[in-house]
């Protein structure tokens, strides 16, 4: 679609400059898009691995919990879970992946996870607690990776829209307008030559 | 005086004769390896409960029980507690039942203390001889309220240790465990029967060994773990503390030096909860093998004590099997967990 501009040299210069900037911007955005996609694929792979690991760990943790449950009476179960002084502190910071701000979660444990005695409880419960704690840290990592994927996907979509807008809308319309102005200016030049020739002929 | 002594001795013999007679009758309801195998072979909880219903004295126990781990456990504990209460009614058996009831009482006390700290109430009723309201009134510091010994001292010391150890909840249990094991040790010293005395000493020693091996897995601090120690002839404080800090290669040697190499499974020692779980199983099996000799006693407290311990192991085994069936665990996994029976 041609832009609505006056076909003069000034506009032509401006449009050529804009076309240059648009082409450079398009190249930069295309490079950014490639980098984002590369990072996105890497994070998605990381996510898939993490999910597989979590699925395995969750199964292991629940197996450990079931095994521990066999050895515990209901009173023991309540005794183990009723009161805990352990605090989990989630530290949230941000980092940048190809210019995109993504969250970084870190879990810090304050206090002991073991809130029960060692004489009347079975050792299986330690294994269950250990497994679930491992699952917890992996789940926090998964949350970080999933949020990163979401933010990268939004950024990729935004960048792709910009690239497409430049590639299929702005650059073609600038090119078309430049072409139009060039044609118009050529036509003006030709008509000026013809006028001069006609004036010259009438003078003779 | 002499006549009085003879009379009281005769009374004691008669009392035990009656209790032993009851035990001989009730012993038909003790599980055997064959019954456990039959339960293991069942496909689900429904079938397993049908097998249990065929065992003498177990027929009506599970009637009307929901098929869930909670109700299975409540039924089993209720059954065991009713037997303990039944035997506890006889004054002659009180020193014997005290050992079993102590465990319930201390567990309840731990729960009540934790609930008090969490500002909650104990919602369910658990088997104990302690009165819940009185215990909570005592926690609240009501001047005229008192609890029987050793609970009062245990509570006071546990709360003060809790405050001095940066409000670490595990410390509470360590102190209460010490009082529990101290009480068991005192009971052992009071028992006239040498075999029962030895059995209880083995129980205390195993409790310490199990605790120290688990503390190793948890990375427990020596100053905290030491809180649960009470002097006893089988595990000295020095060995107890050095076991906690020793390298894994040295642990089997140290346990062998204490004379307990038989509790270690065949595989090499490592600090892993499942290894310790295997050690616990070996300990339980040793104690039940030890208790088997009590069966051959014609009179005296031993058969009664053996029966009560066997009943506890049965409850443990049934919980493993029935809840295992509920969770759909494999036969091998369950076989690994079950303990030996009183009857081979």
């Amino acid at each position: 679609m041609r832009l609505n501009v006056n076909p003069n040299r000034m506009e032509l210069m401006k449009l050529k400059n804009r076309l240059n900037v648009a082409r450079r911007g398009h190249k930069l955005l295309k490079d950014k898009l490639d980098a984002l996609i590369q990072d996105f694929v890497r994070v998605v792979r990381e996510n898939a691995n993490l999910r597989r690991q979590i699925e395995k760990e969750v199964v292991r943790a629940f197996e450990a919990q079931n095994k521990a449950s066999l050895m515990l009476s209901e009173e023991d179960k309540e005794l183990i879970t009723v009161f805990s002084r352990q605090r989990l502190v989630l530290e949230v910071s941000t980092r940048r992946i190809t210019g995109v701000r993504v969250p970084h979660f870190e879990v810090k444990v304050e206090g002991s996870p073991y809130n029960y005695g060692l004489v009347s409880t079975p050792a299986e419960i330690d294994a269950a607690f250990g497994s679930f704690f491992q699952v917890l840290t992996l789940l926090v990592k998964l949350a970080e990776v999933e949020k990163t994927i979401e933010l990268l996907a939004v950024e990729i979509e935004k960048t792709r829209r910009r690239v497409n807008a430049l590639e299929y809308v702005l650059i073609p319309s600038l090119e078309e307008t430049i072409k139009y102005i060039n044609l118009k200016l050529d036509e003006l030049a030709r008509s000026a030559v013809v006028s001069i020739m006609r004036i010259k002929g009438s003078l003779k | 005086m002499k006549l009085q002594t003879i009379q009281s001795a005769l009374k004691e013999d008669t009392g035990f004769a009656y209790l032993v007679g009851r035990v001989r009758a009730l012993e038909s309801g003790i599980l055997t390896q064959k019954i456990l195998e039959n339960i293991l072979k069942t496909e689900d909880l429904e079938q397993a409960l049908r097998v249990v219903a065929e065992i003498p004295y177990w027929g009506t126990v599970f009637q009307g029980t929901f098929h869930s781990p909670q109700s299975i456990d409540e039924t089993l504990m209720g059954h065991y507690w009713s037997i303990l209460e039944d035997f506890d009614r006889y004054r002659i058996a009180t020193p014997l039942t005290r050992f079993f009831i102590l465990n319930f009482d201390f567990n309840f006390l731990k729960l009540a203390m934790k609930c008090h700290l969490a500002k909650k109430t104990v919602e369910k009723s658990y088997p104990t001889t302690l009165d819940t309201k009185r215990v909570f009134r005592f926690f609240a510091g009501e001047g005229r309220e008192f609890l029987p010994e050793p609970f009062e001292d245990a509570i006071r010391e546990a709360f003060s240790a809790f405050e001095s150890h940066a409000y670490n909840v595990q410390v509470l249990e360590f102190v209460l465990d010490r009082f529990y094991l101290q009480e068991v040790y005192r009971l052992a010293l009071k028992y006239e029967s040498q075999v029962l005395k030895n059995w209880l000493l083995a129980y205390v020693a195993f409790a310490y060994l199990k605790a120290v091996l688990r503390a190793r897995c948890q990375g427990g601090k020596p100053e905290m773990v030491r809180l649960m120690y009470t002097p006893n002839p089988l595990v000295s404080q020095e060995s107890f503390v050095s076991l906690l800090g020793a390298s894994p290669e040295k642990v089997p040697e140290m346990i062998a030096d204490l004379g307990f190499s038989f509790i270690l499974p065949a595989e090499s020692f490592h600090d892993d909860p499942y290894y310790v779980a295997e050690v616990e199983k070996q300990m339980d099996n040793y104690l039940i093998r030890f208790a088997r000799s009590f069966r051959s006693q014609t009179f005296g407290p031993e058969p009664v004590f053996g029966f009560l311990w066997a009943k506890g192991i049965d409850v443990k085994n049934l919980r493993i099997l029935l809840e295992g069936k509920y969770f759909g665990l494999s036969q091998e996994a369950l076989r690994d967990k079950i303990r030996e029976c009183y009857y081979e």
Side-chain angles (χ1 to χ4, degrees):
Chain A
M1 199 181 77
R2 182 157 49 84
L3 300 174
N4 188 17
V5 289
N6 290 326
N8 54 38
R9 287 194 188 279
M10 200 64 187
E11 283 297 334
L12 184 67
M13 261 172 61
K14 272 187 196 169
L15 288 175
K16 276 185 177 170
N17 277 342
R18 271 182 74 186
L19 181 65
N20 254 341
V21 171
R23 279 191 177 138
R24 269 164 51 199
H26 174 255
K27 193 177 174 302
L28 278 173
L29 282 173
K30 195 124 195 187
D31 288 349
K32 184 187 173 184
L33 186 67
D34 290 345
L36 278 172
I37 288 172
Q38 270 182 15
D39 285 332
F40 184 76
V41 170
R42 181 179 54 77
V43 179
V44 165
R45 273 194 198 129
E46 195 184 329
N47 179 49
N49 288 339
L50 207 55
R51 271 188 174 274
R52 266 196 295 273
Q53 199 184 344
I54 285 175
E55 274 164 23
K56 235 186 267 174
E57 290 293 327
V58 165
V59 169
R60 229 178 56 165
F62 275 100
E63 272 177 8
Q65 190 207 29
N66 286 348
K67 279 182 187 171
S69 173
L70 305 180
M71 315 301 294
L72 288 166
S73 68
E74 284 304 302
E75 190 179 8
D76 291 335
K77 283 175 199 163
E78 197 176 342
L79 187 60
I80 285 166
T81 51
V82 73
F83 184 57
S84 172
R85 295 287 295 187
Q86 190 189 30
R87 280 184 66 219
L88 289 176
V89 181
L90 184 70
E91 283 189 356
V92 185
S93 57
T94 53
R95 61 196 173 107
R96 284 181 178 274
I97 296 181
T98 335
V100 184
R101 271 179 63 179
V102 293
H104 177 63
F105 301 139
E106 212 165 306
V107 185
K108 281 190 178 167
V109 185
E110 287 174 5
S112 166
Y114 306 107
N115 299 306
Y116 45 86
L118 304 174
V119 173
S120 56
T121 54
E124 281 92 345
I125 195 73
D126 298 347
F129 262 83
S131 304
F132 272 108
F133 186 70
Q134 222 168 338
V135 170
L136 177 80
T137 47
L138 284 173
L139 280 175
V140 172
K141 180 84 188 146
L142 182 72
E144 180 190 317
V145 170
E146 297 235 318
K147 190 68 195 166
T148 305
I149 287 174
E150 195 188 316
L151 291 171
L152 282 177
V154 169
E155 191 62 24
I156 285 172
E157 201 188 329
K158 228 192 278 180
T159 314
R160 181 165 284 155
R161 214 179 288 144
R162 281 179 188 156
V163 169
N164 286 345
L166 285 172
E167 195 173 335
Y168 298 109
V169 181
L170 189 66
I171 293 175
S173 63
L174 283 174
E175 281 172 347
E176 200 186 327
T177 315
I178 287 168
K179 198 176 163 188
Y180 161 75
I181 293 174
N182 273 333
L183 285 173
K184 244 338 188 203
L185 288 176
D186 285 352
E187 203 181 312
L188 280 174
R190 274 195 301 275
S191 75
V193 168
V194 169
S195 307
I196 289 166
M197 279 171 71
R198 282 180 73 182
I199 292 166
K200 215 174 173 182
S202 63
L203 285 175
K204 274 182 184 175
Chain B
M1 188 71 187
K2 204 175 174 186
L3 185 69
Q4 269 182 345
T5 319
I6 293 166
Q7 272 176 342
S8 87
L10 273 172
K11 208 174 171 187
E12 212 171 285
D13 268 1
T14 327
F16 273 119
Y18 172 69
L19 284 177
V20 171
R22 282 203 66 198
V23 162
R24 297 295 178 218
L26 290 170
E27 267 178 357
S28 58
I30 294 279
L31 302 186
T32 61
Q33 208 59 42
K34 201 178 160 191
I35 296 171
L36 292 185
E37 279 299 320
N38 286 342
I39 301 172
L40 263 176
K41 279 178 200 157
T42 56
E43 281 171 13
D44 53 21
L45 180 61
E46 186 79 47
Q47 281 186 17
L49 285 173
R50 255 179 253 150
V51 176
V52 176
E54 287 167 13
I55 309 166
Y57 299 106
W58 285 95
T60 53
V61 173
F62 283 99
Q63 267 179 12
T65 304
F66 289 115
H67 292 184
S68 71
Q70 291 83 9
S71 43
I72 288 170
D73 183 70
E74 272 167 25
T75 310
L76 286 170
M77 293 315 279
H79 174 69
Y80 186 42
W81 183 248
S82 67
I83 289 174
L84 285 178
E85 275 187 325
D86 192 19
F87 276 82
D88 197 46
R89 281 189 296 124
Y90 302 96
R91 232 181 59 196
I92 200 162
T94 310
L96 302 179
T97 50
R98 180 157 172 76
F99 164 71
F100 300 96
I101 288 172
L102 262 179
N103 193 20
F104 284 99
D105 286 346
F106 270 98
N107 264 3
F108 175 78
L109 204 59
K110 285 176 191 173
L111 181 63
M113 284 176 90
K114 281 187 171 180
C115 284
H116 172 72
L117 290 171
K119 295 183 173 59
K120 289 179 188 168
T121 50
V122 184
E123 280 161 13
K124 289 184 191 169
S125 65
Y126 292 110
T128 177
T129 56
L130 297 171
D131 179 9
T132 313
K133 283 180 187 166
R134 274 182 69 182
V135 169
F136 276 90
R137 275 204 299 270
F138 184 78
F139 290 159
E142 281 190 24
R144 276 185 292 169
E145 203 51 81
F146 68 94
L147 291 174
E149 281 306 319
F151 302 116
E152 266 195 35
D153 290 342
I155 292 167
R156 282 202 190 95
E157 208 171 304
F159 276 135
S160 96
F162 176 66
E163 279 168 23
S164 59
H165 282 81
Y167 301 99
N168 189 322
V169 190
Q170 217 175 12
V171 166
L172 273 182
E173 297 219 13
F174 285 175
V175 173
L176 290 177
D177 283 339
R178 168 156 54 87
F179 273 88
Y180 166 62
L181 292 172
Q182 217 167 31
E183 208 53 28
V184 174
Y185 182 55
R186 275 190 200 142
L187 267 179
L189 297 183
K190 274 186 207 165
Y191 282 179
E192 281 175 21
S193 160
Q194 192 56 43
V195 277
L196 283 186
K197 198 174 277 188
N198 289 345
W199 191 96
L200 284 181
L201 289 178
Y203 178 87
V204 173
F206 286 165
Y208 279 121
L209 288 176
K210 176 176 109 167
V212 81
L213 294 181
R214 284 185 64 194
R216 285 175 62 91
C217 296
Q218 293 183 358
K221 292 174 188 163
E223 68 270 17
M224 261 174 60
V225 180
R226 207 176 279 154
L227 283 173
M228 79 172 84
Y229 185 79
T230 187
N232 68 87
L234 292 177
V235 182
S236 66
Q237 189 171 16
E238 197 191 345
S239 334
F240 182 68
V241 176
S242 54
L243 258 172
L244 187 66
S247 65
E249 300 80 44
K250 278 195 172 176
V251 173
E253 198 182 308
M254 292 171 82
I255 290 177
D257 285 346
L258 289 170
F260 296 114
S261 56
F262 53 87
I263 60 161
L264 295 176
E267 54 190 295
S268 62
F269 178 85
H270 46 277
D271 289 321
D272 172 49
Y274 287 118
Y275 183 88
V276 183
E278 195 54 38
V279 172
E280 283 175 3
K281 188 182 164 183
Q282 301 287 344
M283 288 172 175
D284 282 347
N285 288 346
Y286 177 82
L287 289 175
I288 200 80
R289 282 197 294 267
F290 194 159
R292 273 180 202 151
S293 63
F294 301 167
R295 279 184 354 227
S296 56
Q297 301 273 339
T298 320
F299 294 113
E302 293 87 356
V304 181
F305 189 91
F307 168 76
L308 293 176
W309 179 253
K311 210 66 192 164
I313 293 290
D314 280 358
V315 164
K316 201 180 235 182
N317 278 338
L318 276 179
R319 190 194 296 123
I320 292 170
L321 290 171
L322 298 178
E323 289 194 17
K325 291 289 168 194
Y326 176 84
F327 291 126
L329 297 182
S330 68
Q331 271 191 38
E332 287 67 37
L334 294 178
R335 195 172 278 119
D336 279 349
K337 296 280 163 209
I338 54 174
R339 273 45 176 165
E340 281 182 24
C341 296
Y342 195 45
Y343 282 96
E344 294 99 317

